[in-house]
Amino acid sequence: MMAERRGTSPRANDDNSNSIPLTFNDGTAKVERTAPVTGDQSLHKDTTIQDTFPCHRVTCEHRPIMVAEHPRPSPRRVLIALGQTAPFLLSMNSRIRRIHVAIVAVVFLISGAVYFGRDTSLSPPSAEPYGPTVLETGLKDYDWAHNLALAEMEQNVQGNHFVAGEGWSQLWTRDTSYAAEQAASLLFPEVVRSSLEASVENDPDGAGTVWLQDSCAHFGGWPNLSDAIVGARGAWSVYRAEGNRTFLEWAYVVTKNSLVRAERDAFDDEITGLFTGCSSFMESNSGYPAKYHHRGDLVGKTKALSTNSLHYSGYEIAALMGRELGEEKKEIKHYEDKASRLRSAIREHLWIPGMYYSYFMDENGKLMKNFEGLGESLMLLDGIETDPRRIATIFSNVNQTKYGLPSLWPQF
């Protein structure tokens, strides 16, 4: 049997509007989710997704959220588990769906080896499934992954905010935004929104309120690390789930301010047209050659594929936000043009002929021969690279393990 999931518009005056009715037709289970939607209803037109998966029986329902009281796992485990369940949960369309799928694919493929290879004998978190949604397919592995994902997500909610896991009780713009794209914005929209609203800071040099730049012990913070614009992806994701225009207006200003700061502090406008700074998700000595260890100043002079891809999407999302808010066409085109120029710069300067895109360009303009799973995935799934020949070359040359795509190869 195959099951098909469809997103539908809310039904007025329906006390069971959070239910997921099932209809069976010629051996196909069609799972329709209805949920309250606020804001501009036109935003939710054509938001049907038809994901199929083999099953013996499907039972889906919404239940109250319960926060488990046992040690909080690593946020990476949360993201990995979400990669298993995202196909059942996402209900976005066209371009935004690709952004969601990109992050799901990246985290699941890159980190799957680390998690599942480490311990394959884990038992389900609970004999009784719980959470905002419950999935019972009759297939143990599917149900186990779904329940584990929900359980571990809930363990990372503290004070209506997402924290980054056991031992990491603070908010992280990066972790929150990536999680939001993987389904957190659909399952926990208020928590995601609250987390993003707290993931901002004031730029001391006059740009205003900007997305908070995560920092690390090895390399420091802004502008050595410069991927704070990732907050725009999380904000757009939760807006798509809620339709909260007040939040969108706020996020649009923060995103615009963040791009101004990045262009001022972390942009090479003289030679390459690329943004400088550490690779997103690889902010550690282990992700860089020895000469960069504890040298945030030197890392800050490199130009990373993933961080440039995030700035490309930052411009694109700024344009989408502006269009949604009815801003002037001139302002929208301003961001579209900058996205186009950055796309061209990435394709020109970071491509290794006959191989793939470089992990980063070093401080001397030399391309590293390593590749990173996140950067390559964003290039493909965000539509930055569309040349079929280059795409085929990437797939032919990236290293794949039995667990999937490594986050970095070769390792240092």
Side-chain angles (χ1 to χ4, degrees):
M1 182 185 297
M2 304 295 288
E4 181 182 83
R5 186 187 187 287
R6 298 174 59 87
T8 62
S9 58
R11 294 174 293 181
N13 302 318
D14 187 347
D15 292 337
N16 296 317
S17 61
N18 281 334
S19 65
I20 304 181
L22 298 174
T23 59
F24 293 86
N25 181 16
D26 297 329
T28 297
K30 295 185 177 180
V31 186
E32 297 185 348
R33 179 181 187 276
T34 58
V37 178
T38 60
D40 186 359
Q41 298 297 312
S42 65
L43 175 70
H44 300 272
K45 293 179 180 178
D46 301 323
T47 56
T48 297
I49 181 172
Q50 299 181 359
D51 289 329
T52 60
F53 56 96
C55 64
H56 304 294
R57 177 175 60 87
V58 178
T59 302
C60 297
E61 60 180 291
H62 280 283
R63 296 189 179 186
I65 297 174
M66 298 171 57
V67 179
E69 296 182 355
H70 47 278
R72 295 177 177 81
S74 161
R76 272 47 171 179
R77 291 176 62 190
V78 176
L79 299 178
I80 296 160
L82 272 173
Q84 290 274 13
T85 62
F88 306 103
L89 301 173
L90 299 179
S91 58
M92 302 301 178
N93 72 330
S94 64
R95 179 174 187 79
I96 305 307
R97 187 189 306 172
R98 295 203 306 270
I99 294 176
H100 280 70
V101 173
I103 305 303
V104 170
V106 170
V107 178
F108 180 70
L109 293 177
I110 293 175
S111 304
V114 176
Y115 177 67
F116 289 105
R118 178 176 57 195
D119 186 354
T120 58
S121 61
L122 294 175
S123 59
S126 171
E128 176 65 22
Y130 62 89
T133 62
V134 174
L135 176 70
E136 295 176 343
T137 65
L139 298 176
K140 181 179 179 181
D141 290 344
Y142 280 76
D143 295 348
W144 177 86
H146 180 269
N147 297 337
L148 175 65
L150 292 178
E152 295 198 346
M153 282 193 70
E154 290 164 5
Q155 293 163 33
N156 282 275
V157 178
Q158 292 185 23
N160 205 39
H161 290 156
F162 277 122
V163 297
E166 185 176 6
W168 302 92
S169 59
Q170 71 269 43
L171 280 168
W172 291 71
T173 310
R174 183 187 306 117
D175 293 49
T176 299
S177 298
Y178 286 146
E181 291 191 300
Q182 288 188 96
S185 60
L186 297 174
L187 292 168
F188 303 93
E190 292 184 2
V191 177
V192 171
R193 175 165 38 82
S194 176
S195 299
L196 289 170
E197 288 172 341
S199 297
V200 293
E201 59 186 335
N202 183 61
D203 175 52
D205 295 321
T209 302
V210 294
W211 293 114
L212 175 69
Q213 177 57 60
D214 301 324
S215 61
C216 68
H218 293 170
F219 301 143
W222 183 269
N224 301 337
L225 274 63
S226 59
D227 65 338
I229 193 62
V230 70
R233 299 175 73 107
W236 182 246
S237 177
V238 74
Y239 172 67
R240 294 285 295 183
E242 288 190 311
N244 186 327
R245 292 181 67 84
T246 300
F247 172 76
L248 183 67
E249 291 170 355
W250 172 84
Y252 182 49
V253 172
V254 176
T255 297
K256 291 194 299 181
N257 292 348
S258 299
L259 289 169
V260 168
R261 177 181 66 165
E263 292 170 354
R264 182 194 69 207
D265 297 343
F267 185 61
D268 173 23
D269 60 349
E270 294 183 357
I271 301 176
T272 63
L274 296 172
F275 286 90
T276 58
C278 182
S279 170
S280 181
F281 230 43
M282 296 290 285
E283 72 288 14
S284 166
N285 284 342
S286 62
Y288 280 79
K291 73 173 184 176
Y292 294 101
H293 290 188
H294 299 287
R295 289 289 310 277
D297 59 331
L298 197 58
V299 171
K301 296 178 181 179
T302 65
K303 302 173 180 70
L305 176 65
S306 57
T307 299
N308 275 277
S309 297
L310 289 177
H311 281 93
Y312 167 81
S313 66
Y315 286 129
E316 286 280 284
I317 291 172
L320 289 170
M321 288 177 169
R323 184 175 293 106
E324 183 67 21
L325 292 169
E327 298 294 335
E328 294 185 2
K329 292 182 179 180
K330 181 179 179 180
E331 182 167 325
I332 295 170
K333 188 175 186 301
H334 168 76
Y335 292 112
E336 291 176 335
D337 288 346
K338 288 194 172 184
S340 178
R341 288 196 294 270
L342 180 56
R343 175 179 181 268
S344 296
I346 295 172
R347 295 186 73 252
E348 177 184 353
H349 295 292
L350 296 180
W351 174 250
I352 304 175
M355 296 182 69
Y356 36 69
Y357 280 93
S358 171
Y359 172 28
F360 67 84
M361 177 186 287
D362 73 8
E363 66 280 9
N364 298 313
K366 178 182 178 181
L367 294 180
M368 303 297 294
K369 293 298 179 66
N370 313 69
F371 80 85
E372 62 163 339
L374 175 60
E376 303 293 338
S377 298
L378 292 175
M379 286 294 297
L380 298 177
L381 295 171
D382 278 3
I384 305 175
E385 183 51 77
T386 57
D387 185 336
R389 293 167 297 181
R390 283 195 178 185
I391 293 173
T393 300
I394 292 171
F395 279 107
S396 297
N397 286 279
V398 295
N399 181 67
Q400 298 187 49
T401 72
K402 67 177 181 178
Y403 296 108
L405 191 68
S407 58
L408 175 65
W409 193 267
Q411 298 177 351
F412 297 115

